[in-house]
Amino acid sequence: TNNVIDLESYKKIGRNQTCLCGSGKKYKHCCYNKEIQFTLDDDVKVVLEIDDTSLDGAKRYLRQTPSSAYTCKDFDVLGVQLHELGYKELAIKFLKKSLEKDPKYYLSWLNLAAIYNGSGQNEKSLEFIDKVPDGFKRKIIIKANTLNNLEGFEKVAHLYEKAVREEPDFHLAYIKLAWGNKLGSETSNYWVNLGFKNIPGDAELGFLWAREKFFRKEYEVLVSDKRIGKLKNQYEDQSG
């Protein structure tokens, strides 16, 4: 029986669906609201004590799943979530747990590299990046960010351009190219136009596109573009 519960699937399961633990019973008659106790390591216990509702799904999963059934993905997802919430050291521990299970779970190497890059430990970041084979998704952008800190934008611009070619629907490389090139230049204009064309729903790309048009005094283009209006409506809806 496969009793590995995928974190995202677990959050969505209905009470009348078959329980994901593998028992064959309905969820409401099995693991629903149960606090099944398994041997938990100290790091998991720390997570269970964090008072943050955004971790409720993860905490239910950690309580109700045998520690031997935790997967690389589980540790990786939790590590990223903890880092976003500001628990850097704890996040690093869970990403390393992922790699202890499988050193070839390359996403965890890159997430570790991103954390160390974000805290200025660029050499450490490069060590982790080098563990990942070329062509793996997001390797090039994280390497570019790290080398940007060490060598400056001009020496890594070609890496950001390569990242766009490899993943044209990911916003970060466009943003780095927009900020790295001189405002109003043909190069800057090219990248914000391409980025906003490929990802019209991205708010930061929308801002950079509008900033570029305003600087170039392309006012008619700016006020007539419907994408900006959509972003404004989207922001107002989210703001309540």
Side-chain angles (χ1 to χ4, degrees), residues 116-129:
Y116 282 109
N117 165 246
S119 60
Q121 295 175 268
N122 298 299
E123 298 295 344
K124 190 74 172 176
S125 177
L126 287 175
E127 288 180 26
F128 293 135
I129 292 169

Side-chain angles (χ1 to χ4, degrees), residues 73-84:
K73 180 183 176 182
D74 297 335
F75 288 137
D76 185 82
V77 169
L78 182 55
V80 171
Q81 189 175 11
L82 288 167
H83 182 243
E84 291 173 348

Side-chain angles (χ1 to χ4, degrees), residues 163-171 174 194-195 198-199:
V164 168
R165 292 192 296 271
E166 288 187 356
E167 199 174 356
D169 57 350
F170 183 55
H171 68 288
Y174 297 108
L194 184 61
N198 288 341
I199 320 172

Side-chain angles (χ1 to χ4, degrees), residues 53 110 116 131 136 145 158 168 185 195 198 206 224 233:
T53 56
L110 290 180
Y116 282 109
K131 304 281 189 183
F136 190 84
N145 287 341
H158 69 285
S185 68
N198 288 341
S224 63
N233 293 337

Side-chain angles (χ1 to χ4, degrees), residues 102-114:
D102 184 1
K104 291 185 178 181
Y105 195 79
Y106 297 121
L107 187 58
S108 291
W109 286 116
L110 290 180
N111 284 327
L112 277 171

Side-chain angles (χ1 to χ4, degrees), residues 57 60-62 71 121 132 148 193:
R60 284 197 302 272
Y61 172 77
L62 292 171
T71 67
Q121 295 175 268
V132 180
N148 189 13
N193 281 339

Side-chain angles (χ1 to χ4, degrees), residues 35-191:
E35 299 295 328
I36 306 172
Q37 296 301 313
F38 298 98
T39 302
L40 304 175
D41 69 21
D42 290 340
D43 297 326
V44 171
K45 291 176 181 177
V46 171
V47 173
L48 295 178
E49 292 172 0
I50 296 174
D51 185 17
D52 192 311
T53 56
S54 64
L55 286 172
D56 285 353
K59 288 193 283 188
R60 284 197 302 272
Y61 172 77
L62 292 171
R63 288 191 185 101
Q64 298 181 3
T65 306
S67 58
S68 60
Y70 298 158
T71 67
C72 295
K73 180 183 176 182
D74 297 335
F75 288 137
D76 185 82
V77 169
L78 182 55
V80 171
Q81 189 175 11
L82 288 167
H83 182 243
E84 291 173 348
L85 293 172
Y87 299 95
K88 174 189 166 185
E89 296 304 323
L90 192 57
I92 289 172
K93 288 181 178 180
F94 277 94
L95 290 170
K96 288 183 175 180
K97 288 177 189 293
S98 170
L99 292 166
E100 287 171 5
K101 276 189 166 290
D102 184 1
K104 291 185 178 181
Y105 195 79
Y106 297 121
L107 187 58
S108 291
W109 286 116
L110 290 180
N111 284 327
L112 277 171
I115 290 176
Y116 282 109
N117 165 246
S119 60
Q121 295 175 268
N122 298 299
E123 298 295 344
K124 190 74 172 176
S125 177
L126 287 175
E127 288 180 26
F128 293 135
I129 292 169
D130 287 341
K131 304 281 189 183
V132 180
D134 291 340
F136 190 84
K137 189 175 181 179
R138 302 280 161 89
K139 175 181 178 177
I140 195 71
I141 187 72
I142 295 174
K143 185 173 184 178
N145 287 341
T146 303
L147 291 175
N148 189 13
N149 292 342
L150 293 170
E151 301 175 3
F153 175 77
E154 290 185 3
K155 292 187 177 181
V156 300
H158 69 285
L159 292 178
Y160 287 122
E161 293 172 7
K162 184 178 179 181
V164 168
R165 292 192 296 271
E166 288 187 356
E167 199 174 356
D169 57 350
F170 183 55
H171 68 288
L172 186 56
Y174 297 108
I175 289 169
K176 293 293 185 178
L177 286 163
W179 285 114
N181 286 290
K182 184 178 179 181
L183 177 62
S185 68
E186 291 303 318
T187 306
S188 175
N189 191 50
Y190 171 80
W191 289 114

